[in-house]
Amino acid sequence: MSRKMTALVIGNSSYPGHGLKNATNDSEDISKKLSEFGFSVIHLSNAKKRDIDDAVKSFRDNLNSNDIGLFYFAGHGMQIEGENYITAVDTEFETEMDAKYSSYPLNKVIDLMERSNNKTNIVILDACRNNPYERAWHRAPSQRGLAPVFAPKGTIIAFATSPGEVAGDGAGRNGCYTEALLKHISLPDIPIEEMFKRVRNSLSVSTKNRQTSWEHTSLSGDFFFYISLVNAVGKYTKEAISDGLFHIKTDLELHRVILDLKSHHWYTQNPAVRNLKSEDISSSDKNSVFVLGRNLYQAACGSANGASDFISEFRDRTQGVDDKLRRAVLEGMLFEIFFNSKGELRENFKTSKFNEVFEYQQYSEFDESFKFISDILANYPNRFHIIPGKDRSVSVDVETNENDEGELKVIGVHLGGINILREDEDYGFYVDDGEVPYEAFRKAALERRISEDMLIPNSKLTINFDFYADKKSKILFPYGHTVAK
């Protein structure tokens, strides 16, 4: 199941004379979380009114090409003459009139979301903070915070506190409301209305009943921030998706093969795979066969030659096997590249046999298997340049310069005109004198490295060098760098 989702997230803290401690932290943490869910996020910190206006225009354009739209604001909000406004860091607060015309009207955001072509809209406002600027305006207590807002069809609007009340900025990294929101937003398979009820309960406890969050909703369908992989996949059981839970039945031949593959010892793994027969697969169920595929791939990545040979000979080794079971083996291999034994997306993908498995993308008989993996990975678009499994060819341009020894050093790898070469933050190497060391590659090895980093198979990737490169060319690549997303 693939969802196209866009978000505009704003956090303003640096108000003149009366800054907020946590609003920018709130927006940073919400942006990160939404990105993990697959939202394409526009994020602003300490935005001026012009910045907000420009970002809202970009957000408006994004809404029409997405299914889900979300607007989040943390900072000072206020109601003037019954209308709600979110404030910029350059809002003028001397009078109500100054503030009104130098702030951004919330209704403008809600209206453009309502008029867009998407199906579901979410507005989250941690903007009911105690606003010291309002004290000079001699306002009644009922005018504090934000006014109630009508939610158009297909929209839910969530407030950090009830109408006319104010919210706490929090004692830790986050405001009280966003802290509670972050606790619950990642819980799997919870409808958004239920999620906000849990936020309200946690918020009530943490503020000793001083703050009660509030929502207005006109949603006509269910929305889940985090859909568990079991529900996203649907095709295989929880025990197959989280194969650390898979129960091995030693009276079954295929299960004994899986157990041997899990041994991590070549002298056990290799004979088990070499003795594996198509009849063993045909006589099993799709969940067991899916787990077999996962363990074949992990054994091959551990340099078990028998498993590597099986992957290379997969089409021949599975001739005569029912098509559904055959695809289940391949889908297990594909799944293992991207997901760990808990069924969680890997921090570092398992790519050493990536090209060998994706070689089967060229055969139409396996189209369904590559659609299976691309549909799952479409829920994590921010982790990939191109969703793996999509039948799409990509071209990149490698930029080099020549060092004093006449050797060619890679200084850029350009995709769509953008240099995607970057330091790998997870690599953790230290450069003593500021000079990045380089490692040497032959052309084919560098092409494979780029393919695996980008998770685009060699067969779908064209690499253009800015010099004539033959198979003997030695090319220097910066140590501790990557072209991964």
Side-chain angles (χ1 to χ4, degrees), residues 218-256:
S218 62
L219 293 180
S220 54
D222 288 334
F223 175 79
F224 305 84
F225 277 104
Y226 176 44
I227 300 173
S228 68
L229 206 55
V230 173
N231 285 333
V233 173
K235 195 171 184 179
Y236 299 103
T237 63
K238 177 181 178 181
E239 291 75 20
I241 297 302
S242 305
D243 77 327
L245 303 174
F246 187 75
H247 178 59
I248 299 292
K249 300 176 181 177
T250 55
D251 59 324
L252 299 176
E253 180 61 35
L254 193 76
H255 282 222
R256 290 196 293 271

Side-chain angles (χ1 to χ4, degrees), residues 273-398:
V273 178
R274 286 169 180 148
N275 292 327
L276 177 64
K277 300 178 180 63
S278 60
E279 293 82 2
D280 300 327
I281 299 173
S282 295
S283 62
S284 193
D285 63 280
K286 69 175 182 179
N287 289 294
S288 298
V289 170
F290 179 80
V291 173
L292 171 70
R294 296 192 65 175
N295 284 274
L296 282 165
Y297 187 85
Q298 68 84 16
C301 290
S303 299
N305 292 333
S308 296
D309 292 343
F310 185 95
I311 292 174
S312 299
E313 301 162 0
F314 169 69
R315 288 186 80 214
D316 293 334
R317 292 285 300 268
T318 56
Q319 286 293 336
V321 174
D322 177 81
D323 286 345
K324 290 182 180 178
L325 293 177
R326 199 179 189 208
R327 287 194 295 267
V329 179
L330 180 57
E331 287 163 13
M333 295 179 191
L334 290 165
F335 194 82
E336 184 68 16
I337 296 172
F338 303 100
F339 296 93
N340 65 22
S341 62
K342 296 179 180 179
E344 302 166 337
L345 192 71
R346 296 183 185 277
E347 286 294 321
N348 297 298
F349 298 123
K350 194 182 286 188
T351 60
S352 65
K353 298 296 178 180
F354 168 79
N355 270 293
E356 285 82 348
V357 174
F358 270 78
E359 182 70 19
Y360 295 105
Q361 192 172 4
Q362 64 183 304
Y363 300 107
S364 59
E365 65 203 82
F366 300 125
D367 285 351
E368 187 175 321
S369 293
F370 287 95
K371 184 179 186 302
F372 161 83
I373 198 63
S374 67
D375 283 351
I376 297 170
L377 297 178
N379 292 297
Y380 311 93
N382 298 313
R383 292 292 304 275
F384 307 101
H385 297 293
I386 303 295
I387 301 298
K390 296 287 187 183
D391 189 15
R392 180 177 172 185
S393 297
V394 177
S395 177
V396 297
D397 298 287
V398 176

Side-chain angles (χ1 to χ4, degrees), residues 56 59 63 71 78-86 100 103-115 123 125 146-152 155 157 159:
V56 169
F59 181 51
L63 285 169
F71 175 75
M78 58 193 174
Q79 56 170 301
I80 300 175
E81 299 173 349
E83 296 291 331
N84 291 321
Y85 296 84
I86 58 175
K100 177 178 179 178
S103 297
Y104 200 90
L106 177 62
N107 277 345
K108 187 173 180 180
V109 179
I110 295 173
D111 285 348
L112 71 88
M113 295 176 82
E114 180 185 12
R115 293 170 187 270
V123 178
L125 301 165
L146 296 178
V149 178
F150 169 74
T155 302
I157 303 176
F159 295 85

